[in-house]
Amino acid sequence: MTKRRSVLKGLGSTALAGLSFDALGFTSRFHTDPLMERKPVPAKITKIFDPADGFGAVSDAFILTDSTLARRGNRWWMYLAGRARSSQSIDLFSASLPQDAPLSAGGWTVTAVPDDKTRIARLAGYERSKDWDLRGGRHCPSYVVGRDPQRRAAVERIYYAGGATNVLGPYAIGYLEWDGRKWVDQLAPVFKANEDWEVGSIYEPNLIYHDGKWRMWYVAGSNQQDYLVHGYSESADGRTNWSRHQMFFSPEQKVFDFCVVKTSHGFEAAFSRVWLGKPPRPAETGLWWCHAREPSSKISDWSKPLQIMTAQDDGWYTGPWKPSLRYGEEDDKKMFVFFDGQYLKKEPSPFPYVFTLGCLEMQRPE
């Protein structure tokens, strides 16, 4: 995983002391069923972005990863976290397919500045949000359309994790909102850690809007402490009065991202299980898929997960994370799962990893 999320300097060492998950009344489904379902799944894997290959006409992009997908009008858009060579900040960018093109793994074009096609275009400025997300950057976007009950109107948002002081965290979650012409930043984050088990930092938001609620699954914890826990909360307006933060996955499961989508089959989710320790990685590391009739806040209401991708080293990726699940227009059973990957640099470097973006294509499991 990226450095910004792989090291959160000692977060929560005191908050973790004496914390008992049995005392919280939480029983992990995966903890009681460690085998889950692991069987070969036929799939095609395509590389989309790799710094070694460049980013088309855009020459000042340094890294692009962390995708979230959106069909807006008659065009598919991909919103990404990354960095431009001219900046030290992690920021949000975009890429798109040609107008009217169906969803696909290939053919994405990075959005450039209108008057200079060699420079990558930042998604939004920091006029309002700089106090809470400029120094630490913007990470792990999640696109969602929902209803604002105050305005009685549908709104488009891109939720993300922002850091007020450091790229390594701690993080809070806020959003950009489309005003009809551009993406607009907000004065303050809308979701912060408030439970002991969150140890002061929350990130990796994944949201849907359903049945009058903005529903969020998110990561909390400290990678440095090898402690990742998954949470859930919901809100009527996506800004205020969030429900009590509840644990969705226990830290033993190492779940990182739970991306839920509504489909013709109900609700489905792709999620990653990561490994922060020394090699070899456990066989359970990789991407998983499950489904449910409703987007429940309890993992026990979801189907038994199926592993759809392992953590094997394939040169340009290993240990995939940050899945973004979508179905194409031409086949309602064909899944596209966009994911982050990484590989080691060949030359010595203070930070030895290169981050990539790929796509898994497969038929929906029956």
Side-chain angles (χ1 to χ4, degrees):
M1 294 179 296
T2 58
K3 183 176 180 181
R4 54 181 160 71
R5 294 172 312 207
S6 62
V7 181
L8 300 182
K9 296 182 177 177
L11 277 177
S13 58
T14 55
L16 287 173
L19 184 60
S20 167
F21 297 100
D22 291 335
L24 290 172
F26 182 85
T27 301
S28 164
R29 185 176 185 195
F30 290 160
H31 184 65
T32 58
D33 184 14
L35 294 179
M36 295 177 274
E37 187 173 0
R38 301 182 60 247
K39 63 181 181 181
V41 177
K44 176 184 177 182
I45 298 175
T46 303
K47 180 168 63 172
I48 300 175
F49 292 131
D50 180 344
D53 301 331
F55 299 95
V58 173
S59 59
D60 76 333
F62 182 69
I63 184 173
L64 290 173
T65 189
D66 279 8
S67 68
T68 182
L69 277 289
R71 175 78 177 183
R72 304 179 67 217
N74 55 2
R75 174 168 291 180
W76 279 99
W77 288 88
M78 177 187 291
Y79 299 107
L80 307 134
R83 185 166 76 81
R85 295 184 181 277
S86 58
S87 172
Q88 293 300 312
S89 297
I90 304 296
D91 214 326
L92 299 183
F93 304 98
S94 68
S96 62
L97 292 177
Q99 185 170 308
D100 297 319
L103 182 61
S104 66
W108 294 91
T109 300
V110 176
T111 306
V113 173
D115 59 356
D116 187 347
K117 299 303 181 182
T118 67
R119 293 173 51 216
I120 192 168
R122 190 171 61 187
L123 204 57
Y126 290 89
E127 289 79 8
R128 307 173 69 193
S129 64
K130 60 183 178 182
D131 288 342
W132 72 272
D133 70 355
L134 178 58
R135 293 182 183 88
R138 295 167 173 165
H139 315 260
C140 42
S142 175
Y143 173 89
V144 59
V145 178
R147 184 169 179 81
D148 185 323
Q150 283 76 38
R151 285 180 281 177
R152 299 181 181 180
V155 293
E156 292 180 274
R157 293 174 182 166
I158 299 175
Y159 286 78
Y160 63 94
T165 58
N166 195 293
V167 70
L168 302 178
Y171 306 113
I173 292 171
Y175 62 79
L176 305 177
E177 187 169 284
W178 185 252
D179 72 353
R181 297 183 303 107
K182 63 183 184 300
W183 293 103
V184 179
D185 58 326
Q186 307 298 308
L187 285 171
V190 297
F191 192 76
K192 296 181 178 181
N194 63 16
E195 297 284 348
D196 288 345
W197 53 265
E198 293 171 321
V199 296
S201 188
I202 53 174
Y203 45 113
E204 302 299 321
N206 280 285
L207 289 94
I208 63 169
Y209 181 83
H210 175 67
D211 197 21
K213 296 289 180 65
W214 298 77
R215 302 168 186 266
M216 181 193 299
W217 291 262
Y218 63 95
V219 173
S222 166
N223 295 34
Q224 188 180 19
Q225 299 291 329
D226 195 11
Y227 171 79
L228 296 174
V229 61
H230 225 81
Y232 173 88
S233 186
E234 60 187 40
S235 164
D237 63 10
R239 292 190 303 270
T240 61
N241 298 317
W242 290 91
S243 64
R244 184 177 182 271
H245 301 189
Q246 63 186 81
M247 204 180 291
F248 188 72
F249 281 112
S250 71
E252 291 84 3
Q253 307 314 317
K254 301 291 189 293
V255 172
F256 200 80
D257 302 298
F258 191 81
C259 176
V260 179
V261 294
K262 185 175 183 179
T263 74
S264 60
H265 309 284
F267 291 86
E268 302 179 27
F271 64 93
S272 56
R273 297 187 72 186
V274 300
W275 180 247
L276 305 178
K278 295 180 180 179
R281 296 180 178 90
E284 292 79 15
T285 307
L287 301 185
W288 294 77
W289 172 88
C290 59
H291 62 90
R293 293 182 63 183
E294 294 293 326
S296 176
S297 61
K298 297 179 180 179
I299 187 57
S300 58
D301 292 334
W302 292 77
S303 68
K304 186 175 183 179
L306 171 70
Q307 189 169 22
I308 58 175
M309 187 174 178
T310 69
Q312 71 177 31
D313 187 342
D314 199 42
W316 62 269
Y317 72 87
T318 185
W321 74 96
K322 181 57 175 170
S324 184
L325 168 63
R326 291 293 185 273
Y327 281 86
E329 305 92 325
E330 299 176 338
D331 183 350
D332 67 356
K333 291 187 177 181
K334 184 177 181 180
M335 295 167 50
F336 293 82
V337 185
F338 297 81
F339 65 90
D340 290 357
Q342 68 179 30
Y343 62 86
L344 286 170
K345 294 178 180 178
K346 296 180 180 179
E347 67 280 1
S349 172
F351 185 66
Y353 299 106
V354 176
F355 300 108
T356 57
L357 184 74
C359 182
L360 172 78
E361 298 174 66
M362 58 176 284
Q363 289 297 113
R364 181 184 187 272
E366 297 296 336

